[in-house]
Amino acid sequence: MLCFLRGMAFVPFLLVTWSSAAFIISYVVAVLSGHVNPFLPYISDTGTTPPESGIFGFMINFSAFLGAATMYTRYKIVEKQNQTSYFSTPVFNLVSLVLGLVGCIGMGIVANFQELAVPVVHDGGALLAFVCGVVYTLLQSVISYKSCPQWNSLSTCHVRMAISAVSCAAVIPMIACASLISITKLEWNPKEKDYVYHVVSAICEWTVAFGFIFYFLTFIHDFQSVTLRISTEINGDV
C-alpha cells in the first residue's frame, strides 16, 4: 500500500502536493501571461493579477486549511505520545499549535488581500505566515528530539532541525531586505537601486516556503499509524 494512504498520512501528503502545485501553477500562469519576470518574482507577485490571482487565492486558502488540519493532527499525536510516555510539558505542544494556526491565518490573509491592492494587510499576513511558520517548525523539531528515540528516529530529528535552521536563517534577511525596498512592483530592472534587495528577499522567500513544504513531508511517516474516528451522539428526544 502506498505510504500516503495509510492512516492519516494523506493529510500532510495532500498539504505538500497541493501547496507545491499552488506555487508552481500560479508562477507558470503569471509568467506565460507576461505579468511577472520569470527570474525570481515574489511568491505573491504570481498571485496578484487575473487570472493567476484567482488560482493563487483559491489554492492558498485551501493550503491554509490543510495546514491547520495537519498541525492539529500533529498536536493530537504528540499529546497522545506524551500521555503514553512523558517527555515534554504539554504547554510546549500547545504553544506550537497556536503559533502554527496563527501562521495559517496569515496564509489566508495573503491569499485574500493582493499585495498591490492592500499592501499593508498583505504584508502583515505574510509576516505572520512566515515568522509563525518558522517558529512552529523550530518548536516541533525540539519536540521531535525530546520524543526520540521512542517516537522519532534520530535521522528524522536531524532533518527537521536542519530544515528549521535553514528556514530561520532565510527568514531574517527576507524581512530585512524586503523592508528596505521603497516601492511595491511586479517588474524589476537590474539597474534599479532596490533590485539587489528584491533578489535577496525573493530567494529567501522561496527558500522558506519550500522549507515548510519539505518539513511537512517528514510528518507523513508519523501520520501513518494514526486513525481518525468520528462518533455521533444524539441526546434528548427526537
Side-chain angles (χ1 to χ4, degrees), residues 27 31 36-42 186 188 190 195 198-199 202-203 206:
Y27 171 82
V31 170
V36 297
N37 191 309
F39 181 69
L40 289 174
Y42 285 123
L186 298 182
W188 286 89
Y195 181 73
H198 164 74
V199 170
I203 291 173
W206 284 96

Side-chain angles (χ1 to χ4, degrees), residues 35-90:
H35 296 154
V36 297
N37 191 309
F39 181 69
L40 289 174
Y42 285 123
I43 295 174
S44 297
D45 291 350
T46 66
T48 298
T49 309
E52 61 268 18
S53 59
I55 298 171
F56 182 84
F58 169 72
M59 297 191 75
I60 295 301
N61 272 319
F62 192 54
S63 288
F65 168 75
L66 290 173
T70 301
M71 291 171 181
Y72 179 72
T73 305
R74 170 65 179 171
Y75 167 78
K76 297 301 290 184
I77 291 173
V78 173
E79 182 183 54
K80 190 65 176 179
Q81 291 173 342
N82 205 32
Q83 290 173 354
T84 304
S85 176
Y86 182 84
F87 55 82
S88 177
T89 172

Side-chain angles (χ1 to χ4, degrees), residues 98-222:
V98 171
L99 287 172
L101 294 180
V102 171
C104 291
I105 292 173
M107 285 181 64
I109 294 173
V110 168
N112 292 289
F113 297 90
Q114 279 75 35
E115 64 175 339
L116 295 183
V118 274
V120 175
V121 178
H122 179 91
D123 292 344
L127 192 64
L128 277 179
F130 283 110
V131 173
C132 290
V134 167
V135 176
Y136 173 82
T137 61
L138 284 171
L139 292 178
Q140 284 298 318
S141 296
V142 173
I143 290 174
S144 297
Y145 274 110
K146 285 179 175 293
S147 63
C148 180
Q150 183 172 1
W151 302 111
N152 293 283
S153 66
L154 190 59
S155 59
T156 298
C157 295
H158 289 339
V159 169
R160 288 176 181 170
M161 184 55 76
I163 295 173
S164 300
V166 171
S167 298
C168 187
V171 78
I172 297 173
M174 180 196 79
I175 295 172
C177 290
S179 65
L180 294 173
I181 297 176
S182 57
I183 186 173
T184 300
K185 55 189 296 186
L186 298 182
E187 296 184 5
W188 286 89
N189 188 315
K191 296 181 181 180
E192 293 178 289
K193 65 172 184 176
D194 292 338
Y195 181 73
V196 173
Y197 296 142
H198 164 74
V199 170
V200 173
S201 58
I203 291 173
C204 292
E205 183 184 57
W206 284 96
T207 300
V208 176
F210 276 94
F212 292 155
I213 288 174
F214 286 120
Y215 194 91
F216 286 117
L217 196 63
T218 68
F219 281 176
I220 290 179
H221 180 267
D222 296 348

